[in-house]
Amino acid sequence: MNEINLIDMLSYLDIDLLENDNIESDLSKAGTVFKIIIYIFASMAIIASLLGILLKKKKKIKPRKLTHKFPKKVLKLVASL
Amino acid sequence: MKDQKIVNLIKEGNELGFIKLADKYEKLLFYIAKGILGSRTEDIEECVNDTYIKFWNNIDKYDINKASLKTYLKIIVRNTAINRLRDLSRHENNQISDDISEVAKYYADNRQDVEDKIFAGESIKKLNELIKGLKPKDKEIVIRKYFYLQSSKQIAKAMKMSVTAVDSRASRAKKKLKNDFYKE
């Protein structure tokens, strides 16, 4: 059986063998790089939004620093004791 | 649109059926025809148009339960392209495109030297069984190379292998098929 005969005989290739022959994936591969770039940018945008939300929340719940402001007179009194 | 609906529309003679068929499968059909015929745009277009006509002419024989519409069309376009390649090689000026695969070129250059054969049903059945028995990667390489007439470079890119690996596996698979085919 030479290559010519093989090519001619494959005109009668079983349908089962062609149902999942992966030929269609050749077409979708062309768009894969573009899709990857889109996914990366979309992920970055989502992460940036989430970080933004988290930072806003953190600012809101940040406890106020309690500063005791003693009057100067009291401080002087304590210092003199 | 689902394939059954497309087929029903075409059977009714509704133009929308053909529009939807082209929308869904034209890219694939062009890809397969281009793989065999190279950059001969006119021949590729004619091949795809002939595919639609053949499908239309045999629509009553088509059974969606036996073969998906996609597979049925793949077979028609492949065989139509191979016939076209054969006709082009017989033409006085040998109008084969320069950018076809090495296997397509070999087929075009040598086909007229090989007698037209009518293959016995048993031989076809045996070959199909032998191909089914190949390892998955070898099976895919054989189908891509000898059914779709893809180049080793195309196959290597699609299957994420080196060209050398593709050639090596194709050669071994072809040898195995030949040995097993003639084994009693």
Side-chain angles (χ1 to χ4, degrees):
Chain A
M1 179 185 18
N2 56 40
E3 276 190 346
I4 307 283
N5 290 148
L6 180 57
I7 291 167
D8 284 342
M9 283 173 85
L10 287 186
S11 301
Y12 306 98
L13 190 65
D14 247 8
I15 284 158
D16 298 338
L17 287 164
L18 292 168
E19 289 287 357
N20 302 303
D21 61 10
N22 297 327
I23 196 82
E24 294 85 358
S25 62
D26 294 8
L27 297 171
S28 59
K29 276 180 177 87
T32 301
V33 171
F34 179 72
K35 276 183 196 169
I36 289 169
I37 293 168
I38 297 291
Y39 284 142
I40 289 170
F41 276 110
S43 309
M44 281 166 65
I46 290 166
I47 291 166
S49 314
L50 282 169
L51 276 171
I53 293 166
L54 278 167
L55 280 167
K56 263 188 181 172
K57 274 190 176 173
K58 204 177 175 184
K59 273 183 185 170
K60 274 185 187 170
I61 62 171
K62 190 177 175 178
R64 268 193 218 164
K65 209 175 170 181
L66 292 170
T67 46
H68 293 281
K69 281 191 178 172
F70 290 102
K72 278 184 184 174
K73 276 183 183 175
V74 174
L75 281 167
K76 273 184 183 173
L77 187 66
V78 168
S80 64
L81 287 173
Chain B
M1 188 183 273
K2 285 192 174 173
D3 288 348
Q4 186 62 72
K5 202 166 179 188
I6 293 174
V7 171
N8 291 342
L9 283 170
I10 293 173
K11 279 184 176 176
E12 289 165 17
N14 192 330
E15 213 178 84
L16 181 65
F18 278 106
I19 293 169
K20 291 295 176 186
L21 184 78
D23 275 348
K24 207 170 173 181
Y25 296 116
E26 195 153 272
K27 207 175 170 187
L28 176 64
L29 299 180
F30 265 88
Y31 179 72
I32 293 170
K34 189 174 189 290
I36 295 168
L37 296 167
S39 52
R40 292 184 61 93
T41 318
E42 265 182 49
D43 288 310
I44 295 167
E45 282 173 0
E46 223 176 282
C47 180
V48 173
N49 287 336
D50 284 349
T51 300
Y52 294 142
I53 292 168
K54 285 176 186 178
F55 178 62
W56 164 246
N57 289 338
N58 292 289
I59 190 87
D60 292 328
K61 292 181 199 168
Y62 173 63
D63 183 353
I64 205 163
N65 297 311
K66 287 187 180 166
S68 68
L69 183 55
K70 182 169 57 181
T71 297
Y72 193 70
L73 291 170
K74 284 196 287 193
I75 295 169
I76 300 175
V77 75
R78 182 269 185 187
N79 291 339
T80 306
I82 292 274
N83 289 340
R84 189 88 187 130
L85 185 68
R86 215 164 33 220
D87 292 343
L88 287 169
S89 71
R90 284 175 186 159
H91 197 275
E92 248 175 54
N93 299 332
N94 192 346
Q95 297 175 332
I96 306 292
S97 180
D98 288 332
D99 60 350
I100 58 174
S101 68
E102 60 272 11
V103 66
K105 197 165 190 315
Y106 178 79
Y107 182 82
D109 288 345
N110 296 287
R111 183 58 186 76
Q112 53 252 32
D113 301 332
V114 174
E115 229 178 78
D116 280 343
K117 253 183 159 177
I118 297 168
F119 301 105
E122 279 305 310
S123 302
I124 303 290
K125 195 178 174 186
K126 190 173 185 181
L127 178 64
N128 275 303
E129 289 307 315
L130 290 173
I131 292 173
K132 281 177 189 173
L134 292 172
K135 289 178 193 167
K137 267 195 170 163
D138 293 344
K139 192 176 3 182
E140 187 173 337
I141 289 171
V142 164
I143 291 171
R144 281 179 179 276
K145 188 162 183 166
Y146 298 111
F147 184 82
Y148 294 112
L149 270 58
Q150 287 191 328
S151 66
S152 299
K153 195 178 173 184
Q154 252 180 310
I155 299 169
K157 190 181 175 186
M159 295 180 69
K160 294 187 173 69
M161 293 168 70
S162 68
V163 171
T164 318
V166 167
D167 286 340
S168 171
R169 285 190 97 126
S171 173
R172 275 204 308 271
K174 193 180 78 177
K175 200 174 176 182
K176 184 176 177 359
L177 285 175
K178 190 178 175 181
N179 290 342
D180 292 348
F181 187 77
Y182 291 116
K183 210 190 279 184
E184 286 197 17

